[in-house]
Amino acid sequence: MSVMAPVAAKKLTGLVAATFTPFTAEGELNLSEIGPYIDFLTEKQGVNSIFVNGTTGEGMSLSVAERKVLAQAWCEKAQGKMDQVIVHVGCISLKDSQELARHAAEIRADAIAVIAPSFFKPKNADALKMFLQEVASVAPTLPFYYYHIPAVTGVNVLVRDMLEDIETLIPSFRGVKFSGSDLMDLGQCVSYSPPHWSLLYGVDEQLLAALAMGCHGAVGSTYNYIGCHANKLISAFENGDIVRARKIQFNVQELLRYAMKLGFDLGVNKQLMNEVSGLSLGPPRLPVIQCPLAHAKSIAEKYHSIFPEC
């Protein structure tokens, strides 16, 4: 294998936790929580892969320097404990994305992912592919994933269109984190994908539908604290016990429906993780507003009433 050939990585399947970024009360990085965080995921939730510096991790609110420090800390602390660390390197600036991609290769991340730029938006699939190609080209040894989240980016390019001949442009391309609700587009992506790609779904309350469509796994924020139950959902589905899988999915939906009535957003989600895990992940960074403690406690009570201990 040549030096520039993509690393032969194990196919990414199962649950991937989209990690929150630990902050101090003053809003600075709190790297001391990363080790205990990883232990909580592996020992309490049965989640062995992570997606860092993404939406849940407030990656777009962090400086490039902060994202480098975080990525390195996650990779170092996860070594020997987790299967894969996927580092999100997407930015509005192409040059910043490339800098983060190079750094991810230097710290031996298992893969990188890139979100579509959201200020000057790619107008079509070809423009999006050109942007992704430029980022991937500076870290050709790392498996590369496209992170599709149109509700946040406003980029509504069909992923299936973007996938057309993508591996010709990006030999290291290995799949999609599909955080959209268009199940037709998702299904067409699964249908088009070769065996070595991974289609990972990112709308946690619709995981069962994605599994039925043929997704290979899922990346989400709720897997930080309901990972053990989502694993049971996946096992039930794989064993043909659709009734049980459906019951667990409905429980997830019941929790999120309750949370949404209280204004469920990243700030609430992060505080809920604090309440459930016992970790000290701190507040979110502005412009995300810190969750009222009473709301988080109320949602945590709902969580404990729905989900038994694993």
Side-chain angles (χ1 to χ4, degrees):
M1 184 173 70
S2 71
V3 174
M4 298 304 288
V7 172
K10 179 182 176 183
K11 181 168 178 173
L12 184 56
T13 60
L15 291 184
V16 183
T19 56
F20 298 94
T21 291
F23 289 129
T24 65
E26 295 73 33
E28 301 301 323
L29 299 183
N30 183 9
L31 302 182
S32 66
E33 284 295 286
I34 289 179
Y37 194 153
I38 288 171
D39 291 341
F40 175 79
L41 290 176
T42 57
E43 296 170 10
K44 302 294 186 182
Q45 300 300 321
V47 174
N48 299 304
S49 293
I50 50 177
F51 185 96
V52 306
N53 292 350
T55 304
T56 304
E58 303 175 74
M60 302 301 283
S61 296
L62 304 173
S63 68
V64 168
E66 286 176 319
R67 288 173 70 168
K68 286 182 176 181
V69 169
L70 274 167
Q72 183 164 354
W74 283 112
C75 286
E76 289 176 352
K77 296 292 185 180
Q79 190 167 10
K81 291 186 174 183
M82 306 206 92
D83 293 336
Q84 295 201 39
V85 178
I86 301 93
V87 177
H88 173 245
V89 302
C91 297
I92 290 175
S93 162
L94 172 61
K95 294 299 182 182
D96 286 349
S97 290
Q98 290 177 320
E99 183 176 345
L100 288 169
R102 290 189 190 95
H103 180 259
E106 292 169 5
I107 63 174
R108 298 181 181 273
D110 295 291
I112 55 175
V114 174
I115 201 170
S118 57
F119 190 85
F120 292 116
K121 299 176 177 62
K123 64 173 66 175
N124 53 40
D126 287 339
L128 177 56
K129 285 193 280 190
M130 289 172 66
F131 181 88
L132 299 178
Q133 180 186 25
E134 287 296 307
V135 179
S137 68
V138 304
T141 63
L142 287 182
F144 182 93
Y145 295 87
Y146 170 54
Y147 177 12
H148 176 64
I149 183 165
V152 173
T153 63
V155 177
N156 291 298
V157 173
L158 291 174
V159 182
R160 173 61 184 83
D161 292 345
M162 188 278 298
L163 291 180
E164 195 73 32
D165 297 324
I166 189 68
E167 215 167 344
T168 302
L169 295 173
I170 304 175
S172 57
F173 189 86
R174 290 299 178 267
V176 178
K177 178 183 186 294
F178 193 108
S179 295
S181 58
D182 185 343
L183 293 182
M184 178 174 172
D185 190 25
L186 175 66
Q188 288 295 291
C189 292
V190 174
S191 176
Y192 181 76
S193 297
H196 60 283
W197 288 7
S198 295
L199 267 293
L200 307 164
Y201 198 55
V203 183
D204 304 7
E205 61 270 27
Q206 298 178 173
L207 172 59
L208 182 56
L211 294 175
M213 295 296 290
C215 279
H216 309 103
V219 184
S221 61
T222 69
Y223 306 135
N224 285 285
Y225 49 82
I226 61 167
C228 62
H229 301 288
N231 275 323
K232 291 176 181 178
L233 186 159
I234 293 172
S235 294
F237 174 79
E238 291 176 343
N239 292 328
D241 190 348
I242 300 302
V243 172
R244 177 167 168 74
R246 192 183 295 142
K247 172 61 176 173
I248 298 170
Q249 184 72 92
F250 290 164
N251 284 343
V252 173
Q253 292 176 349
E254 182 182 351
L255 175 67
L256 293 183
R257 179 174 176 269
Y258 181 84
M260 288 171 184
K261 289 182 177 180
L262 295 176
F264 191 63
D265 62 5
L266 179 56
V268 175
N269 203 5
K270 190 174 190 180
Q271 188 57 42
L272 177 60
M273 176 62 174
N274 284 329
E275 296 292 326
V276 171
S277 68
L279 297 167
S280 298
L281 303 180
R285 179 170 286 181
L286 290 171
V288 179
I289 301 297
Q290 188 167 6
C291 166
L293 190 57
H295 286 187
K297 288 188 177 298
S298 178
I299 299 169
E301 289 174 3
K302 184 71 172 179
Y303 166 90
H304 289 298
S305 74
I306 296 173
F307 294 108
E309 291 287 336
C310 278

